[in-house]
Amino acid sequence: MKVHFKGSEKYFNEEQKKVLKLYTKMLQRQMPLKKDVHVYFVDYRKNDMTTGLRKPHHEIYVLTPHRMLVDVMRTYAHEWGHEYEHQKLGFKDKNIERPQIGTPAENLANILAGIMTKKFDNEYPEYKKLIYDEG
């Protein structure tokens, strides 16, 4: 399984890209996926997304500009959580592409994103300044 980043070179320096790779490895350890995922870091809101969107065919979109890295990471983990729901838990695309607030799919993705972000924060304290820096 591979994760293909698109647009990361536009928004992140080398150290930030290193953090995203470490974060991806942690996500894969905690919520393993079997199929390749394409992650697009974008500067526009696709469709009616807020800060992120998981689409069928294993695509994740993350709104990136003017956000702290930790916020981008949390959105990424949230959408990864939706992909995990699809690949591992058997959730259907119609239930997780645009989940409503309070639905099991949305609540689970929120919980998983919070856990993953805090785990990264605890496992890699040397990156706290970088991920919480507002630019």
Side-chain angles (χ1 to χ4, degrees):
M1 180 277 185
K2 291 184 180 182
V3 176
H4 306 276
F5 288 137
K6 308 284 185 190
S8 61
E9 64 286 340
K10 181 177 179 181
Y11 299 107
F12 307 114
N13 63 36
E14 291 306 312
E15 192 173 19
Q16 291 168 322
K17 286 191 254 184
K18 178 181 175 184
V19 166
L20 286 171
K21 287 178 184 175
L22 285 170
Y23 195 59
T24 299
K25 286 180 182 179
M26 190 190 75
L27 291 174
Q28 181 63 6
R29 276 194 320 271
Q30 299 293 317
M31 296 184 282
L33 302 176
K34 291 183 180 180
K35 297 183 180 176
D36 288 3
V37 176
H38 297 273
V39 181
Y40 300 90
F41 296 100
V42 297
D43 58 5
Y44 60 92
R45 292 176 59 205
K46 187 170 180 58
N47 300 331
D48 62 349
M49 77 181 220
T50 51
T51 57
L53 177 69
R54 181 254 172 211
K55 293 191 58 75
H57 308 294
H58 320 293
E59 294 179 350
I60 292 173
Y61 292 83
V62 180
L63 186 66
T64 307
H66 312 296
R67 300 178 71 203
M68 287 190 291
L69 183 57
V70 70
D71 294 328
V72 170
M73 291 165 62
R74 189 184 186 295
T75 297
Y76 173 36
H78 177 99
E79 301 309 331
W80 182 289
H82 284 311
E83 184 65 22
Y84 180 77
E85 291 168 342
H86 174 73
Q87 285 193 30
K88 292 291 194 147
L89 303 179
F91 286 44
K92 302 296 180 207
D93 283 333
K94 67 182 175 87
N95 300 94
I96 60 175
E97 185 175 347
R98 291 178 228 254
Q100 299 296 311
I101 295 169
T103 61
E106 192 64 8
N107 288 344
L108 180 57
N110 282 329
I111 291 165
L112 292 171
I115 290 169
M116 293 302 105
T117 303
K118 287 181 181 183
K119 277 189 174 202
F120 187 87
D121 196 46
N122 289 335
E123 281 185 41
Y124 299 97
E126 65 271 26
Y127 293 116
K128 279 186 193 272
K129 178 160 177 32
L130 180 69
I131 68 173
Y132 291 101
D133 186 15
E134 294 185 40

